[in-house]
Amino acid sequence: MEEAQTRLQKIGLDETTIKNTIKGKNALKSILQTLDLIGVQECDKKIGNLLYEMSQNLTEALDNRRALLAKYIVEGKITNKLQLEGALEYLRTHTHLEQIPAEDFDKAAGVGIVVTPEQIKNTVAEFLKTKQDLKTIRYTYNFSEYTKQVRSLLPFAEGKLLTQELNQQIEAILGPKTEEDLKAAKTQVKKPQQQQQQQQQVQQQAEEEDDCKFDISKLVARDLATTVNSEQLLNWRKQNFPYEVLTRFPPEPNGYLHIGHAKSINFNFRLAQHYKGVTYLRFDDTNPEKECQEFIDNIKENLRFLGYTPFKTTHASDNFGKLYDYAVQLIQKGKAYCCFLTKEESSKLRSDLKPSPYRDTQPAENLEIFRKMKMGYYKENEVCLRAKIDPTHPNPTLRDPAIFRIRFTPHPHQGEKWCIYPLYDFTHCICDSIEGITHSCCTLEFEVRRDLYYWFLKELDLYRPFVWEFSRLNVSNTVLSKRKLHHLVFNNIVDGWDDPRILTLNGLRRRGYTADSINKFCDLISVTRKGNENIIGMHVLESCIRKDLDIKAPRTMAILEPIVAIIDNVAEDFSEELEVAIIPRNPQKGNRKILLTKQIYLDKNDVRTEDHPDFWGVAPGKIIGLKQCGPFKVLSVTANEVHLERLGKDVKPKGFLHWLSVKEATPCVARLYDYLFEAYDPNELDDYIKGINPNSKIVCSNALMHKDLLNSKPEDKVQFERLGYFNLDFDSKDGKFIWNRTVTLQEKDKIKAIAQVDGKQVQKKDVPQQKKDAPKKEAKKE
Ligand SMILES: NC(=O)CC[C@H](N)C(=O)O
C-alpha cells in the first residue's frame, strides 16, 4: 500500500484522493493499470489528475480504450475534464468500432480547440457589457452566477483562467473595494466566517464546473449535435408528439421506491418542465414473477406524494403485441433465432465466446418455433428467442442476448393473455421509441446496455431517443440496493418497507420528511455522470428537512421521561397563562397559550440528584430556566420529585428547559431514531449487516405531550422544543398518539462540539454529558 501511495503522490494527486483511492480497491487498480500501461512514473499534477479521472470513468466496455485516452492525455491533446468527458462520451457511443476514426474523435474531444487568453479576455469583456447593473450593485453581484454564465460561453476554456479574468475585469470597472462595499458585504452575510465559507464554496463550485457537470441545457444541446435519426424518423416523431422534450420515469413494479428513485423522478420531470415538455410514468413490467399490483399502486402514490403528475401513465406490457411483432421482424431479417440450450449451456458458451448451435436456424423455422412458444407449446426455459448479434463481442450484453422467454405466470396488468414475455433490454428501447421519448435517462449501471439499446432500434428502423446515464445516489449510513432493503425487511431487521429508518419514500414519509424537503435535496445534489462511488452524507438530507420544518412546524413541548416538579413558593391553585409564538420566525401563524401551574413535569434526562460542574440542568442548588417563563432555583431533587422556587426575572440562568403543566400534559409515545448503520458506508464491509446500529430505535412509551395536540392527525408535524421535529405516525388512532422523531434540532456532530444556550455560545465544558439519543441540548434561540 505504501508503494501505491508513493506512486499516486508522484502523479500529483491530493492526499484525500489518495486516501480514498487506496480504500476503494477498484479505483486503485484502475489508476495503477493506466500508469503501468503507459509506463508513467511521475508527471505533472494536471496530467496525473486527468489520468486518474479517466481511469475512474472507464467501464468494462471501454477498457480497451484506456491506452488511447491515456496517450491523448499525456500528449496534451486532452487537457481538461470537459474534453475528457467529450472523449469518453464519444467512445461510449462507439463501442462497436474497432478503429476509432481520429478526426471524429478529436472533434468530440475538442482536441486542438485552444482557448487563448485573448479569447477569454474578449469574451469576459463582452459578457460584462451585458451586466448593466453591475455598477449599481457593485461587489454584491452573484459571483457563482456570473462564473456559470461566462463558462457557458467558453466551455473549453480553463476554469481558473476564466475566473481570474472575470475578477480582474470587474475590479477594473468598479475600482478597489470601498468601505461602503465592505459594509454592504457585511450586511449581506452576518458572520465573516460564514461569508468566507460561502465564498470558498462558490469558488470550489466554480472549479468543479471543470468537472463537466452537465446542466440540462448542455444535455439537450449534445442531443441535437449527435442526433442520429433519419429525417423520416424525426418527422414521424414530430407529427406524433407535440413536445420537443419528452422524458419518462420507468420503474419496475417489483419493490418500493427510495430516495434514489426520487432523484430520477425529480430529474426527469424537471428536465421536461424546463423545455415545456412532459413526462410519462411507465411501468417497466416485463417480469410477472416479481411484479404485483401492490407495488404499482404504491409507486403511483409515491409520485403523488412528491408532487409530480405524470402526463400519462403507461405500461410496457401494453406493448407486448407490438414487441411480439418486432421480434417477428427480427427473425425475418435473420437477426433473431430460437435457442434450445439450457441456461447453463448458454452461459458457458457465452463466457467462452462461442456461438449457439441454433444460431443458423433458418428464419422460416424460427418463425414457426416462436409462434409455438406463444401458443404454449413448450415448457418454461425449454427454448428462448435470442438476438443474433455477436457471440464474441467484448461487451457481454451484445453476445446474442435473450429477448423473449416462456413463463406460465399471469401478469399483474395483462392477466393470462401471454405465456411469453419480452426481456428488459428489448422492451425498454422499443417502448421509449414508441412513446416518442427524447431523453432516456438512467443510472450508470445501464451504460453497458446502451449499445444494445441502439442496436435494436437500428435493426428495426425505429426512432432513437438519446440515452444518457447519471450516477446513482449513495447516502451515508444506510443501504439503498433493492436486495439489501429486501433483506432488512424480510428478516425483520426493520419494521417493514415504511420503517422510518430506511430511505424508501414510504419510510422517509413516515419519518416526517416532506415532499419539499426531498425535492430540495434532489436539487441540491444535482445530477452528474461522476462516478457511482460518491456518497452524500446523511446530514445533507437532514439539513433539508430541518430547514423546511423550521418554517412549517408549530412549536410545542413534550416530555420523554417525566418527573414531577413542584414550585414551592406559589399557591396550591396557582396558574399563569403564557402566550408564545407558534412559529417564532413566522408571526403570522399567531400565538399559542400555555399554563404554568404549581405542579409541572420535567424530563428525567435533565435532572440529576447530584450536581457536577459540567452539568447545567436540574440538580440541588442550581439556577435553571424554564422555557417561556424565566428562572427558578432548584431546592431539592429525589429520584421521583423535584422542588423549585420561582425567582425574579433579573436572574440569568445558563439554560432553559422544556416542561409541561400537569394540567396540560397528556400521554403519548415518542420514537427516537438514529442512523440505521453506524458504518459510514456499510456497503464497504464484508458483511454490511455488521454495520448495523443496535440503538437505531428507542421508544419512549411514557412520554407526555401538550393537550393542544389531541386534535393532531397522522402526518402532522411539530417541533417539540429542545427535542427535535416530530411527525405523527400513521398508527396513531383510538386516542393513542405516536410521534416519530424526524430529526434533532441540530446536526449530530455539532451537538457534540458546541451548544448554544439561548443564543449565547458556551464552552464545551458547559455541555452536559449526553447519552446516545438522549434528548439533545437545544441549538437555536427561539
Ligand atoms: N433505463 C432505466 O432507467 C432502467 C429502468 C428499470 N426499469 C429500473 O427500474 O431500473
Side-chain angles (χ1 to χ4, degrees):
M1 277 309 140
E2 242 168 65
E3 189 213 2
Q5 192 180 358
T6 325
R7 289 188 68 184
L8 298 183
Q9 276 164 349
K10 281 192 176 164
I11 62 163
L13 299 190
D14 65 68
E15 287 308 314
T16 330
T17 312
I18 295 179
K19 222 169 79 196
N20 290 338
T21 310
I22 290 178
K23 255 200 270 164
K25 290 169 204 126
N26 288 336
L28 181 63
K29 205 167 120 197
S30 186
I31 175 68
L32 293 184
Q33 200 181 337
T34 302
L35 297 181
D36 289 340
L37 191 69
I38 50 174
V40 163
Q41 297 292 337
E42 205 165 346
C43 65
D44 177 69
K45 173 173 150 205
K46 219 166 146 184
I47 292 181
N49 275 294
L50 280 172
L51 288 173
Y52 175 80
E53 192 69 21
M54 178 272 276
S55 306
Q56 301 316 309
N57 276 294
L58 279 190
T59 49
E60 205 181 314
L62 291 189
D63 200 40
N64 58 345
R65 312 290 191 203
R66 191 186 293 266
L68 173 73
L69 285 165
K71 185 162 164 264
Y72 266 65
I73 294 172
V74 175
E75 287 176 358
K77 286 183 177 168
I78 292 180
T79 58
N80 61 41
K81 289 191 184 165
L82 209 73
Q83 281 187 287
L84 176 62
E85 182 57 36
L88 283 165
E89 180 68 14
Y90 180 87
L91 296 175
R92 280 183 205 117
T93 42
H94 294 80
T95 48
H96 55 283
L97 296 181
E98 204 154 290
Q99 200 71 37
I100 295 292
E103 206 177 304
D104 287 0
F105 180 63
D106 286 5
K107 214 156 115 193
V111 174
I113 302 187
V114 183
V115 184
T116 59
E118 202 54 37
Q119 271 173 304
I120 296 183
K121 209 179 215 154
N122 294 339
T123 310
V124 170
E126 283 302 312
F127 167 75
L128 287 176
K129 272 189 211 155
T130 67
K131 297 289 170 199
Q132 287 173 354
D133 61 344
L134 179 63
K135 286 194 181 140
T136 336
I137 57 169
R138 294 188 56 88
Y139 283 100
T140 61
Y141 72 92
N142 186 334
F143 176 69
S144 97
E145 198 45 43
Y146 272 41
T147 319
K148 210 154 98 192
Q149 289 177 13
V150 246
R151 182 123 271 271
S152 68
L153 300 172
L154 276 181
F156 283 112
E158 201 182 311
K160 258 190 217 132
L161 290 182
L162 212 62
T163 38
Q164 253 170 29
E165 184 65 35
L166 187 64
N167 283 335
Q168 271 170 19
Q169 289 200 25
I170 288 179
E171 203 175 322
I173 296 174
L174 301 180
K177 281 189 190 158
T178 62
E179 221 151 85
E180 293 286 293
D181 289 329
L182 294 173
K183 246 193 243 159
K186 253 190 207 148
T187 47
Q188 242 190 347
V189 183
K190 276 188 211 117
K191 296 179 195 146
Q193 198 188 352
Q194 204 176 337
Q195 185 183 18
Q196 209 178 16
Q197 263 173 6
Q198 257 182 13
Q199 256 173 19
Q200 269 170 5
Q201 267 171 12
V202 170
Q203 189 82 31
Q204 207 177 354
Q205 218 173 343
E207 277 167 24
E208 270 176 16
E209 305 240 353
D210 247 354
D211 296 343
C212 191
K213 191 149 128 194
F214 272 82
D215 68 19
I216 291 172
S217 53
K218 268 191 216 151
L219 180 56
V220 174
R222 191 168 285 230
D223 174 25
L224 297 178
T226 59
T227 204
V228 285
N229 290 295
S230 64
E231 206 157 310
Q232 206 183 350
L233 287 173
L234 288 177
N235 279 336
W236 166 83
R237 193 190 169 273
K238 216 172 177 171
Q239 275 157 17
N240 287 284
F241 305 93
Y243 302 100
E244 246 169 77
V245 170
L246 224 169
T247 59
R248 84 285 175 269
F249 170 60
E252 189 184 348
N254 65 355
Y256 283 78
L257 301 185
H258 56 62
I259 185 95
H261 294 104
K263 172 176 173 178
S264 166
I265 295 170
N266 176 285
F267 179 55
N268 276 301
F269 276 84
R270 297 222 168 172
L271 170 60
Q273 271 163 15
H274 190 83
Y275 289 95
K276 305 203 168 30
V278 295
T279 305
Y280 290 173
L281 164 63
R282 182 196 316 136
F283 289 106
D284 214 342
D285 52 351
T286 54
N287 187 354
E289 289 171 314
K290 291 199 172 152
E291 296 155 8
C292 68
Q293 194 60 37
E294 177 195 345
F295 296 135
I296 297 181
D297 295 341
N298 181 262
I299 290 169
K300 286 187 184 164
E301 174 56 25
N302 273 319
L303 247 76
R304 216 172 308 139
F305 164 65
L306 286 180
Y308 297 101
T309 312
F311 184 70
K312 255 191 198 172
T313 298
T314 62
H315 294 254
S317 62
D318 284 337
N319 295 318
F320 280 173
K322 284 188 185 159
L323 288 159
Y324 179 83
D325 294 342
Y326 285 126
V328 167
Q329 268 187 42
L330 283 184
I331 298 175
Q332 283 166 337
K333 275 184 80 176
K335 295 287 182 175
Y337 60 95
C338 295
C339 178
F340 287 87
L341 292 177
T342 63
K343 211 171 156 199
E344 294 71 34
E345 287 166 343
S346 82
S347 45
K348 169 109 185 46
L349 286 183
R350 280 161 60 85
S351 63
D352 293 348
L353 307 183
K354 299 241 171 65
S356 155
Y358 300 96
R359 206 167 190 266
D360 295 322
T361 314
Q362 288 307 298
E365 197 180 328
N366 281 321
L367 279 178
E368 182 56 18
I369 304 171
F370 189 48
R371 199 179 57 80
K372 279 160 68 185
M373 278 171 66
K374 183 181 169 214
M375 310 275 289
Y377 185 88
Y378 300 102
K379 294 198 294 286
E380 283 189 5
N381 300 325
E382 187 177 350
V383 54
C384 70
L385 183 70
R386 286 187 184 284
K388 190 167 171 179
I389 308 181
D390 179 0
T392 65
H393 202 284
N395 178 347
T397 69
L398 292 166
R399 290 179 207 152
D400 290 11
I403 58 178
F404 258 97
R405 58 178 185 162
I406 303 170
R407 285 291 176 271
F408 291 100
T409 310
H411 188 279
H413 191 61
Q414 301 296 328
E416 312 226 343
K417 206 156 143 199
W418 296 88
C419 68
I420 53 171
Y421 292 102
L423 281 127
Y424 164 80
D425 287 306
F426 185 61
T427 312
H428 200 83
C429 55
I430 294 178
C431 291
D432 276 353
S433 175
I434 293 176
E435 290 180 354
I437 301 297
T438 53
H439 294 74
S440 177
C441 305
C442 50
T443 44
L444 277 168
E445 304 88 90
F446 289 92
E447 185 175 5
V448 282
R449 322 189 86 91
R450 195 202 299 173
D451 286 343
L452 183 55
Y453 180 109
Y454 287 161
W455 186 90
F456 286 123
L457 297 181
K458 181 159 169 273
E459 292 301 328
L460 294 165
D461 195 24
L462 290 175
Y463 165 78
R464 189 181 111 172
F466 173 66
V467 177
W468 190 74
E469 299 88 6
F470 55 87
S471 61
R472 208 181 40 211
L473 172 64
N474 298 300
V475 180
S476 76
N477 305 86
T478 194
V479 293
L480 287 179
S481 93
K482 222 172 236 179
R483 184 178 60 79
K484 289 176 185 161
L485 286 172
H486 258 272
H487 182 86
L488 295 174
V489 172
F490 286 105
N491 292 288
N492 298 321
I493 298 171
V494 296
D495 311 324
W497 286 106
D498 59 354
D499 186 299
R501 288 165 295 177
I502 52 177
L503 302 192
T504 53
L505 293 178
N506 289 70
L508 284 166
R509 185 172 173 178
R510 194 159 191 182
R511 177 92 175 233
Y513 274 81
T514 56
D516 282 350
S517 67
I518 297 173
N519 281 316
K520 181 82 211 171
F521 173 74
C522 295
D523 290 344
L524 205 72
I525 56 175
S526 79
V527 175
T528 71
R529 277 193 59 94
K530 272 177 119 181
N532 256 345
E533 276 73 44
N534 289 346
I535 299 180
I536 308 279
M538 186 72 91
H539 65 278
V540 179
L541 184 60
E542 291 183 340
S543 80
C544 290
I545 185 63
R546 219 175 258 130
K547 275 200 191 121
D548 196 33
L549 291 181
D550 182 34
I551 50 169
K552 289 184 182 163
R555 276 31 171 195
T556 176
M557 290 196 270
I559 303 286
L560 296 177
E561 270 189 82
I563 175 166
V564 175
I566 298 161
I567 308 172
D568 283 1
N569 63 338
V570 299
E572 211 49 52
D573 60 351
F574 165 81
S575 111
E576 183 176 318
E577 200 174 68
L578 306 158
E579 195 161 333
V580 291
I582 291 178
I583 301 181
R585 246 171 212 276
N586 191 352
Q588 278 165 351
K589 293 273 174 194
N591 289 344
R592 65 190 159 108
K593 291 190 174 128
I594 46 177
L595 218 53
L596 178 67
T597 54
K598 185 170 180 79
Q599 289 202 22
I600 59 170
Y601 290 112
L602 296 177
D603 228 318
K604 269 197 183 145
N605 263 307
D606 288 333
V607 176
R608 289 191 192 172
T609 45
E610 267 170 57
D611 196 13
H612 185 275
D614 282 351
F615 184 64
W616 54 263
V618 178
K622 275 235 139 73
I623 305 285
I624 55 143
L626 291 187
K627 283 246 161 203
Q628 330 290 359
C629 56
F632 289 78
K633 179 166 186 176
V634 183
L635 300 176
S636 66
V637 180
T638 62
N640 37 30
E641 203 171 85
V642 176
H643 283 266
L644 301 173
E645 180 191 330
R646 194 170 190 194
L647 301 177
K649 296 253 185 246
D650 47 335
V651 185
K652 292 271 170 282
K654 266 193 185 168
F656 283 84
L657 307 176
H658 57 284
W659 57 276
L660 276 179
S661 157
V662 294
K663 296 219 171 120
E664 290 193 318
T666 176
C668 72
V669 173
R671 297 181 185 144
L672 310 181
Y673 295 107
D674 192 3
Y675 295 164
L676 183 58
F677 288 88
E678 267 167 351
Y680 186 76
D681 180 8
N683 302 300
E684 270 223 324
L685 305 176
D686 298 338
D687 175 9
Y688 70 100
I689 294 293
K690 286 198 188 126
I692 290 260
N693 172 5
N695 300 314
S696 61
K697 177 180 171 186
I698 292 173
V699 181
C700 306
S701 319
N702 301 318
L704 297 169
M705 64 180 193
H706 193 279
K707 70 172 173 43
D708 281 355
L709 295 173
L710 283 170
N711 293 324
S712 309
K713 287 177 286 308
E715 294 205 84
D716 278 356
K717 292 160 179 62
V718 295
Q719 183 197 103
F720 287 141
E721 296 195 46
R722 290 185 67 234
L723 300 176
Y725 294 101
F726 286 74
N727 179 47
L728 193 66
D729 192 80
F730 292 109
D731 282 349
S732 306
K733 44 181 170 257
D734 308 326
K736 200 170 168 196
F737 291 84
I738 303 170
W739 294 96
N740 297 333
R741 177 151 74 186
T742 313
V743 68
T744 53
L745 295 182
Q746 245 205 334
E747 213 174 276
K748 248 183 157 183
D749 296 340
K750 285 202 195 127
I751 295 171
K752 281 188 212 140
I754 55 157
Q756 280 185 300
V757 182
D758 278 9
K760 243 187 344 196
Q761 278 211 0
V762 290
Q763 298 299 313
K764 197 171 172 182
K765 65 176 171 46
D766 291 336
V767 184
Q769 289 290 307
Q770 279 166 354
K771 275 195 283 169
K772 209 167 184 182
D773 235 300
K776 306 280 159 62
K777 188 144 168 46
E778 192 208 36
K780 277 187 214 124
K781 186 180 160 69
E782 288 282 84

